[in-house]
Amino acid sequence: MTLARAVALLLALGATHAHAADIEYLAPPGVPAKEFPSPRRPVAQIVSPSRSAEEHRDALNEAAEIVRLLELKPGTTVGDIGAGSGYHTVRLSPLVGPTGSVVAEDVTRNYLIELAKRTERLKLTNVIFALGEPHDPRLPASSLDAAILVHMYHEISQPYAFLYNLAPAFKRGARVGIVDLERPTSEHGTPIELLRCELTAVGYREIATYQLAGDGGYLAVFSPPDNAGRKSPRDIVGCGDRTGTR
């Protein structure tokens, strides 16, 4: 299913009817994980669809800060990669408005089913649900103006394959915002130097890094590589884990 078809389905049937049965991959598979190096550091287990209480995150102004720093505007299509319980999905939906959309992507179908129910209760009709794989978000080419990966990067089991297969989903000039904590991946964070190394290895370019309030961690903003700038999978060199945790 293409993104255009998914949008048409939502408009034709209404978000209330486009839930469990229509939660599927939105694009054909990308490059298999076996073509890429495996991460040389621990991969955290997915333990919950949410990081912490939403009231706490609201008190830190987390969503508004990410919107401001990424310069997200009405009419844009934003991917919430690893959407989980949808903390950012339901806050981005009113922001991008009826001419924009939020693509809520996750590898756990049950999380997306529950999020679909949540968006129905909130009457949010511009959210599209996308099932992904651990090494491939399975998103249509040139469909996203921006994407956020919030407190989930350390859970990506095949980061080089995932980043490589994510890159074609971006439009020209798109930005990627990754939020994580400055702690080892085994402790549900990603040291910023490790993050920079892994994204640079795939051809992403760092634009800026910001410190978020309280225990929100950092926001690292990158521009994705275009097709010409993407390395061949065989040329990607994996980064070592400098934290000493294995």
Side-chain angles (χ1 to χ4, degrees):
M1 180 187 287
T2 65
L3 188 62
R5 181 183 164 200
V7 172
L9 182 64
L10 285 172
L11 294 175
L13 301 180
T16 58
H17 298 292
H19 293 327
D22 295 299
I23 292 175
E24 58 182 85
Y25 304 121
L26 297 187
V31 181
K34 65 181 181 180
E35 302 297 326
F36 298 86
S38 296
R40 297 187 223 161
R41 44 82 171 175
V43 175
Q45 296 297 309
I46 300 174
V47 295
S48 171
S50 61
R51 173 179 176 256
S52 61
E54 295 197 0
E55 295 80 6
H56 174 67
R57 299 173 78 174
D58 285 344
L60 296 175
N61 209 29
E62 178 183 311
E65 276 295 276
I66 292 174
V67 165
R68 180 180 69 84
L69 294 170
L70 281 177
E71 301 178 356
L72 302 179
K73 296 177 174 62
T76 57
T77 298
V78 183
D80 186 2
I81 310 299
S85 64
Y87 174 80
H88 285 284
T89 293
V90 302
R91 287 160 177 79
L92 286 170
S93 173
L95 170 76
V96 300
T99 59
S101 58
V102 180
V103 181
E105 186 273 352
D106 207 287
V107 298
T108 305
R109 183 186 292 271
N110 286 342
Y111 290 175
L112 293 177
I113 292 173
E114 291 305 311
L115 178 53
K117 294 175 182 177
R118 182 179 186 183
T119 59
E120 178 180 350
R121 291 193 299 270
L122 295 174
K123 300 186 184 329
L124 303 177
T125 59
N126 62 348
V127 178
I128 300 160
F129 305 97
L131 187 64
E133 298 181 80
H135 72 288
D136 184 356
R138 301 285 295 269
L139 296 175
S142 302
S143 59
L144 301 179
D145 297 297
I148 58 172
L149 293 77
V150 181
H151 294 294
M152 57 73 68
Y153 183 85
H154 49 267
E155 297 173 348
I156 301 176
S157 61
Q158 299 287 341
Y160 303 107
F162 191 90
L163 291 168
Y164 187 92
N165 287 321
L166 174 63
F170 293 109
K171 300 176 185 177
R172 184 179 296 275
R175 291 189 172 192
V176 186
I178 300 178
V179 176
D180 219 328
L181 301 173
E182 185 64 43
R183 63 172 62 158
T185 54
S186 59
E187 299 176 17
H188 288 268
T190 307
I192 186 63
E193 290 302 324
L194 177 63
L195 182 78
R196 288 168 176 155
C197 183
E198 292 188 349
L199 271 84
T200 300
V202 185
Y204 287 72
R205 182 177 62 85
E206 184 179 9
I207 297 173
T209 301
Y210 307 94
Q211 188 64 39
L212 300 177
D215 63 352
Y218 61 78
L219 167 65
V221 183
F222 294 84
S223 62
D226 56 23
N227 286 335
R230 278 200 306 169
K231 299 179 181 179
S232 167
R234 71 174 70 92
D235 293 329
I236 294 174
V237 178
C239 302
D241 178 12
R242 301 177 185 178
T243 66
T245 58
R246 292 200 175 276

